[in-house]
Amino acid sequence: MIVTTKDLFEQAYGKYAVGAYNINNLEQTVGLFRGNLGKINSNDEPADPAASAPFIIQISRGARGFTDKRFLEAMIRAAEDVFPAAIFAVHLDHGTEEVCYDCIESGFYSSVMIDASHETFDKNIEITRRVVERAHERGLSVEAELGMLGGVEEDIQVSAEHACLTDPDQAVEFVERSGCDSLAVAIGTSHGAYKFTGSQGLHFDRIAQIQKLLPGFPLVMHGSSSVPKEWVDRINNAGGQLPNTSGVKEDQYLPAAKLGVTKVNIDTDGRLIWCAVYREMFRDKPADFDPRTPGKPFMAEYAKYIKHKNQMLGSAGQLEKVRAALAAQPA
Ligand code: G3H
Ligand code: 13P
Ligand code: ZN
């Protein structure tokens, strides 16, 4: 069942974080739905209530253009049928103003992200405000971004020295003037596989300052992959050449969630799992050329990873509570 992002945030705020996972293809979509219901190997396994989690499925501009956005939307609709127990929101990740309008008009999305964080403060507010007005007319909520994360996203690359943490006072002014419903904040993370080379981590002091000034307001953490060493090693053992880096420590998700980080964005880890499984197949079965040979273990590995990640986010086991809360809402 597709629900609003706002509904999911209302249930989660201050208690756990909702996983927001990017998809680009069929195997990722199936693995994601299975994992969020605790089904690992097949669509027909019974759902595991202790593992079942509400989630957000995110589509980036790159994902929309990869084949055709209609394929992704049709896959998500099909997944809704195949997995009737799932409760999830559909979100545009890192949208431009134009793409946000396209998603808003489509009637398919629960929420959009307008990313004008590379603009000046006033221009970011102005653009976000316009998107908020159009989105709210149609019942969608809007995520905006303030501050500059490091790393690569779509066609924008931000070097470490240009990345800057979100200023708490500016965050308050930004939310008031733009009318956005959630805010992506720069709190030490960056996009991609190369986040930390040492013992760096989240800036909890900064998250706490922002929450103090914006109590009850959902914050979003981008660049939240943990870049598991196990997967980097598996890629490199199968011919890959990834440097040794690390991502967000998984035991930092829940403390961040208690401070208002309600949505945690994860894409890179899924790509690493994909890369490892496919590389291993090419290494171990050089005479095999069936796309299902790597596709099947990938879906199982990805589902296992999602199940584990939801446990770390605290969203595992929350699905039935969310279902009950939604059913109790006045019509
Ligand atoms: O933050 C960016 C996401 O990981 C999406 O990546 O734009 O390459 O699809 P993408
Ligand atoms: P990662 O690169 O850490 O997976 O972050 C993804 C993201 O922020 C998507 O918006
Ligand atoms: Zn992002």
Side-chain angles (χ1 to χ4, degrees):
M1 177 172 52
I2 299 179
V3 298
T4 68
T5 304
K6 188 166 170 274
D7 279 334
L8 298 186
F9 285 173
E10 274 170 11
Q11 299 304 314
Y13 184 88
K15 291 181 274 190
Y16 60 90
V18 181
Y21 302 103
N22 291 64
I23 52 131
N24 288 277
N25 68 15
L26 176 66
E27 289 86 348
Q28 284 179 308
T29 308
V30 173
L32 179 60
F33 277 79
R34 284 188 192 164
N36 280 298
L37 294 171
K39 299 167 184 253
I40 304 302
N41 291 302
S42 93
N43 302 347
D44 301 328
E45 274 170 46
D48 173 359
S52 293
F55 65 101
I56 296 170
I57 190 162
Q58 348 197 75
I59 304 176
S60 71
R61 277 188 296 133
R64 282 163 59 89
F66 170 50
T67 52
D68 183 301
K69 64 187 179 189
R70 286 169 293 185
F71 287 120
L72 291 179
E73 295 175 3
M75 273 184 332
I76 295 170
R77 285 280 183 224
E80 197 184 9
D81 273 356
V82 173
F83 302 97
I87 295 180
F88 61 101
V90 182
H91 179 76
L92 168 70
D93 191 29
H94 292 286
T96 57
E97 189 171 1
E98 194 192 346
V99 177
C100 282
Y101 294 151
D102 191 55
C103 293
I104 292 166
E105 302 308 327
S106 79
F108 181 65
Y109 288 74
S110 311
S111 50
V112 292
M113 175 192 191
I114 171 69
D115 182 356
S117 59
H118 47 282
E119 302 281 1
T120 62
F121 182 67
D122 283 324
K123 187 102 187 160
N124 188 355
I125 292 177
E126 193 185 307
I127 295 169
T128 302
R129 179 82 235 162
R130 284 199 295 268
V131 172
V132 165
E133 276 163 16
R134 287 271 280 271
H136 285 184
E137 271 170 24
R138 298 288 209 108
L140 281 79
S141 53
V142 177
E143 173 185 330
E145 179 168 330
L146 180 66
M148 209 52 114
L149 272 76
V152 184
E153 77 194 37
E154 299 277 355
D155 42 1
I156 298 171
Q157 182 157 2
V158 182
S159 62
E161 76 266 24
H162 286 114
C164 61
L165 299 187
T166 303
D167 177 277
D169 293 318
Q170 276 201 341
V172 175
E173 185 182 342
F174 186 91
V175 168
E176 273 170 18
R177 286 176 55 197
S178 72
C180 67
D181 304 284
S182 61
L183 188 65
V185 284
I187 48 180
T189 61
S190 58
H191 289 109
Y194 314 116
K195 300 186 195 302
F196 306 127
T197 47
S199 59
Q200 306 97 322
L202 303 188
H203 291 255
F204 281 102
D205 49 342
R206 187 60 64 109
I207 311 174
Q209 285 165 1
I210 299 171
Q211 191 200 32
K212 194 163 169 226
L213 298 181
L214 285 170
F217 189 82
L219 305 176
V220 178
M221 182 160 80
H222 284 244
S224 310
S225 280
S226 48
V227 193
K229 183 168 166 17
E230 175 204 344
W231 289 103
V232 173
D233 288 348
R234 278 176 69 167
I235 290 170
N236 288 342
N237 289 335
Q241 292 185 354
L242 299 185
N244 235 339
T245 58
S246 60
V248 178
K249 290 190 180 59
E250 292 184 322
D251 61 3
Q252 298 199 326
Y253 293 137
L254 255 186
K258 308 272 170 183
L259 293 172
V261 173
T262 315
K263 174 171 177 274
V264 163
N265 283 17
I266 294 172
D267 185 1
T268 294
D269 285 353
R271 296 179 184 205
L272 293 174
I273 295 168
W274 178 88
C275 181
V277 171
Y278 280 71
R279 274 191 175 280
E280 286 172 352
M281 180 262 183
F282 296 134
R283 179 194 63 192
D284 299 339
K285 299 185 177 165
D288 194 337
F289 48 87
D290 185 342
R292 293 167 297 192
T293 305
K296 208 172 163 191
F298 168 73
M299 289 187 287
E301 291 287 8
Y302 191 46
K304 234 195 286 175
Y305 164 84
I306 295 290
K307 180 180 171 185
H308 164 74
K309 196 54 72 171
N310 289 336
Q311 273 149 4
M312 303 314 291
L313 296 172
S315 61
Q318 299 290 340
L319 187 68
E320 293 316 315
K321 282 185 220 157
V322 170
R323 196 186 313 284
L326 293 178
Q329 277 180 353

